[in-house]
Amino acid sequence: MSDAYPELTATARRLRQHIIRMVGAAGSGHPGGSLSAVEIVTALYFKVMRLDPSRPDWPERDRFVLSKGHAAPVLYAALAEKGFFPVDDLLTLRRLGSPLQGHPDRKALPGVEVSTGSLGHGLAVANGMALAGRLDGRDYRVYVLLGDGELQEGMVWEGAMAAAHYHLDNLTAIVDHNHLQIDGRVEDVMSPEPVADKFRAFGWETKTIDGHAFGQILDALAWAREVKGRPAVIIAETVKGKGVSFMENEAGWHGKAPGPEQVEKALAELA
């Protein structure tokens, strides 16, 4: 995390604190893949995307699809910090009756574009949004965040093929390439490598970056906006559990909540 972007760095720290607090309070959730995506989501919501929290259905807004829907805590943290709903509501994560469900529900929470959680669907839905924007003559952009374990789903590659076929240059995919999934290393479970070469073969422009460096993230998002005639994908190399020492690069923290003492330790590290 670079000091060249102090406001984004401070926001990213708050998002990480929110993730730890809400998952700890819920006693369940997915901290590892939420923490790995913090810089990506921070850059999008607080620097890049055109949004109006007072009008979550504003037709000209940019769209964000969290295809790896289990990372809902990072999305909720960003939406709350952006002003879509009160920050205090974050501690209702996964409670009965709360709009902050374990996976995002677009009918329950303002700012959520797509109900996700069934892995592999996000890119196809993002394709539809991008096509709709073109047909409606609107200039919004669509961003979709995929997990690297999610790339094992065949529907991702059907979506990749369709996006290139329809020349969706208003679509940017970002792969949170943290190399871990619930059962261990992605490469050991079912390797999707070489990821960049695969997307390139499907007709995408590709760029690989450090997914925790704001300068590289912002440069890549600016690069993607300049790509014409085809979709762009950013392969963001990240660390699962980033920012919390005992969670980093540990597959066991994919879907496990920290206990009270672990919450305290994590927040101390993130202070």
Side-chain angles (χ1 to χ4, degrees):
M1 293 175 280
S2 172
D3 290 338
Y5 299 90
E7 291 185 6
L8 291 178
T9 299
T11 301
R13 183 181 299 113
R14 289 197 300 276
L15 263 57
R16 285 195 164 90
Q17 292 167 345
H18 290 323
I19 290 166
I20 294 300
R21 288 192 180 101
M22 73 174 94
V23 174
S28 66
H30 296 79
S34 295
L35 293 168
S36 65
V38 165
E39 279 74 28
I40 298 165
V41 171
T42 300
L44 286 169
Y45 273 88
F46 297 92
K47 191 70 173 179
V48 173
M49 290 199 302
R50 185 172 60 194
L51 297 167
D52 184 351
S54 69
R55 292 189 293 164
D57 58 350
W58 179 38
E60 302 299 333
R61 72 192 183 281
D62 290 332
R63 274 75 166 166
F64 174 73
V65 178
L66 181 68
S67 191
K68 45 176 276 180
H70 55 275
V74 70
L75 175 59
Y76 296 159
L79 291 174
E81 281 285 336
K82 192 70 176 177
F84 282 89
F85 60 87
V87 169
D88 289 346
D89 289 357
L90 291 173
L91 294 181
T92 70
L93 175 70
R94 291 182 170 233
R95 290 186 187 171
L96 185 64
S98 170
L100 278 68
Q101 299 180 24
H103 294 78
D105 181 350
R106 68 175 299 273
K107 294 183 177 180
L109 194 67
V112 173
E113 295 287 351
V114 185
S115 300
T116 54
S118 184
L119 293 175
H121 291 185
L123 181 55
V125 176
N127 285 349
M129 291 178 168
L131 280 166
R134 177 189 295 171
L135 291 169
D136 292 342
R138 301 190 184 278
D139 67 349
Y140 64 73
R141 294 195 61 82
V142 182
Y143 299 91
V144 55
L145 182 64
L146 300 148
D148 50 0
E150 185 181 10
L151 301 184
Q152 296 160 352
E153 299 282 354
M155 191 172 179
V156 170
W157 301 105
E158 294 181 61
M161 181 167 52
H165 178 80
Y166 290 109
H167 309 289
L168 298 181
D169 53 13
N170 57 343
L171 171 70
T172 300
I174 306 163
V175 177
D176 182 8
H177 202 8
N178 62 37
H179 299 273
L180 291 173
Q181 60 189 108
I182 193 168
D183 288 328
R185 285 188 57 79
V186 172
E187 290 81 358
D188 294 335
V189 175
M190 180 67 69
S191 179
E193 298 297 338
V195 173
D197 289 346
K198 282 189 170 70
F199 272 100
R200 198 174 296 117
F202 274 85
W204 290 58
E205 290 289 337
T206 69
K207 183 179 284 291
T208 300
I209 64 166
D210 178 346
H212 298 300
F214 281 119
Q216 293 189 37
I217 296 168
L218 294 172
D219 286 349
L221 291 169
W223 160 83
R225 287 194 297 272
E226 297 303 315
V227 172
K228 302 302 178 187
R230 60 177 61 195
V233 60
I234 299 165
I235 314 300
E237 293 292 336
T238 60
V239 175
K240 193 136 186 168
K242 178 70 173 179
V244 179
S245 61
F246 58 88
M247 291 185 179
E248 289 189 354
N249 284 315
E250 293 290 340
W253 287 105
H254 174 90
K256 181 175 70 173
E261 291 184 3
Q262 291 168 318
V263 167
E264 186 176 341
K265 181 179 179 181
L267 291 176
E269 293 185 7
L270 294 168

